[in-house]
Amino acid sequence: MNSKDRIKVAIQKSGRLTDHSLSLLRTCGLSYSRGTDQLICFGENMPVDLLLVRDDDIPSLLAEGVCDLGIVGLNVMIEKAVTGPGLVLPRQAASLGFGKCRLSLAVPRDFTYEGPADLCGRRIATSYPRILGEWLEANSIVADIVMLSGAVEIAPRLGRADLICDLVSTGSTLTANDLVEAEVIFESRAVLMAGDRPEEDIRAEWVDRLISRVEGVVRVRESKYIMLHAPRSRLEEIRQLLPGSEAPTVMPLDGRDDKVAVHAVCRENVFWETLEGLKAAGASSLLVLPVEKMLA
Ligand code: PRP
Ligand code: ZN
């Protein structure tokens, strides 16, 4: 397979999504070696290479066909406006279970913020002019958007803006810059994006395979395998209590006519409360196991 037939997955070069993205792909079975320039990792066991790039560039790399798949924050995806032709989302922007953060308005301590109306005529520094612009419009606010591609949080101190609109994860950047979160305007998380590709492309098969592995990994994270003994008479009740399971396996127990063994894959996390509820319904010998791999 020559290099143009290998599929390319773009991930963030360094930042919040980098480690999670690499570990997700490793869990999908990809092993790779890092090139000397560290900007490309060659897959060793699949025709899949990783491009390490600025996250903001990922949507356009996909749109231009340079990459086939990308892992990016929903905020970047929406900001770069890439839902048009040339780019499709794999099954509604499958959420990957990491990179949760929010795009928020944050104000200096002495700024009294009581609601969107306080933003009229203000200068707001942000790297997200599109998302912010839409939010302002939806709230009928006319304000100045000051577009900055980095170091947004120091804009008020430099006198370049009255407040900012930036991503907040732990909140420590805001605290360090004496800013207070005033309003969440957008909730974000990491998503998997796919570029458009011709159906007959020989890479398509690998792209699909990788997408379904990613979906499998994500699904498995929340899934548990649960085993228990249930009184036959209360089987239906117990079945109802199993979170997110479709068809549990019910097996006879040797020498016991009154009880059966129930095994089920639960597509949601199983909490102590659930187990207590099952026990109250007569279940015994409860065992909850992690699921390692799943292929629907
Ligand atoms: C965001 C944002 C803040 C920081 C907030 O940057 O611009 O600097 O994260 O995180 P905290 O609330 O945990 O302090 P990001 O990681 O997206 O980097 P980038 O803008 O360079 O892509
Ligand atoms: Zn970025």
Side-chain angles (χ1 to χ4, degrees):
M1 209 179 226
N2 68 37
S3 104
K4 83 170 182 19
D5 295 331
R6 295 176 65 85
I7 74 158
K8 309 232 170 8
V9 183
I11 64 167
Q12 190 183 33
K13 183 169 53 168
S14 65
R16 214 168 339 157
L17 305 180
T18 311
D19 288 346
H20 286 289
S21 305
L22 287 169
S23 101
L24 173 68
L25 292 165
R26 236 177 272 129
T27 314
C28 289
L30 180 68
S31 59
Y32 51 79
S33 60
R34 271 209 176 189
T36 39
D37 59 0
Q38 306 246 311
L39 296 180
I40 188 155
C41 293
F42 298 102
E44 291 166 340
N45 57 340
M46 304 182 205
V48 176
D49 298 328
L50 308 182
L51 296 187
L52 292 112
V53 297
R54 282 194 49 207
D55 59 344
D56 313 54
D57 294 335
I58 293 176
S60 48
L61 291 172
L62 286 163
E64 289 159 17
V66 177
C67 297
D68 304 282
L69 291 170
I71 296 176
V72 79
L74 192 57
N75 53 304
V76 169
M77 190 192 94
I78 302 289
E79 182 62 34
K80 302 295 172 187
V82 287
T83 41
L87 211 64
V88 288
L89 300 177
R91 303 161 213 178
Q92 277 93 44
S95 175
L96 302 176
F98 60 85
K100 264 193 77 163
C101 60
R102 52 203 188 269
L103 188 61
S104 292
L105 294 168
V107 297
R109 261 174 218 296
D110 55 5
F111 187 118
T112 324
Y113 182 85
E114 276 162 3
D118 293 332
L119 303 172
C120 283
R122 300 296 196 151
R123 293 165 305 153
I124 312 175
T126 190
S127 312
Y128 297 91
R130 182 190 172 94
I131 301 177
L132 174 60
E134 281 172 7
W135 185 86
L136 289 171
E137 204 181 312
N139 284 277
S140 314
I141 303 297
V142 178
D144 284 340
I145 297 179
V146 181
M147 167 60 194
L148 296 177
S149 52
V152 170
E153 60 276 5
I154 60 168
R157 247 189 302 152
L158 297 178
R160 297 189 69 185
D162 301 305
L163 68 148
I164 68 166
C165 172
D166 201 8
L167 282 189
V168 182
S169 168
T170 60
S172 60
T173 302
L174 293 187
T175 309
N177 289 280
D178 243 348
L179 296 166
V180 185
E181 191 171 359
E183 182 112 51
V184 177
I185 70 163
F186 184 81
E187 306 262 6
S188 186
R189 60 191 197 276
V191 295
L192 178 68
M193 293 177 72
D196 229 355
R197 62 191 193 289
E199 211 47 46
E200 69 279 11
D201 194 316
I202 59 167
R203 295 170 306 167
E205 190 194 319
W206 272 102
V207 170
D208 285 343
R209 198 184 283 192
L210 212 51
I211 291 174
S212 66
R213 286 193 191 180
V214 168
E215 286 178 331
V217 169
V218 171
R219 211 178 310 124
V220 139
R221 281 210 189 110
E222 288 281 289
S223 298
K224 295 284 178 271
Y225 192 75
I226 183 164
M227 306 196 276
L228 54 86
H229 291 175
R232 254 183 213 285
S233 57
R234 301 183 75 178
L235 191 55
E236 198 38 51
E237 189 183 339
I238 284 174
R239 205 180 277 208
Q240 299 293 330
L241 289 170
L242 291 171
S245 81
E246 281 132 41
T249 308
V250 178
M251 289 160 288
L253 276 173
D254 205 22
R256 294 289 301 260
D257 288 337
D258 57 331
K259 283 195 173 194
V260 288
V262 178
H263 291 192
V265 173
C266 295
R267 298 275 169 105
E268 295 161 33
N269 218 335
V270 179
F271 297 102
W272 282 108
E273 290 73 15
T274 312
L275 294 183
E276 285 156 3
L278 287 164
K279 191 155 187 266
S284 58
S285 305
L286 290 140
L287 209 51
V288 180
L289 306 174
V291 175
E292 194 187 88
K293 292 191 177 67
M294 195 190 283
L295 204 59

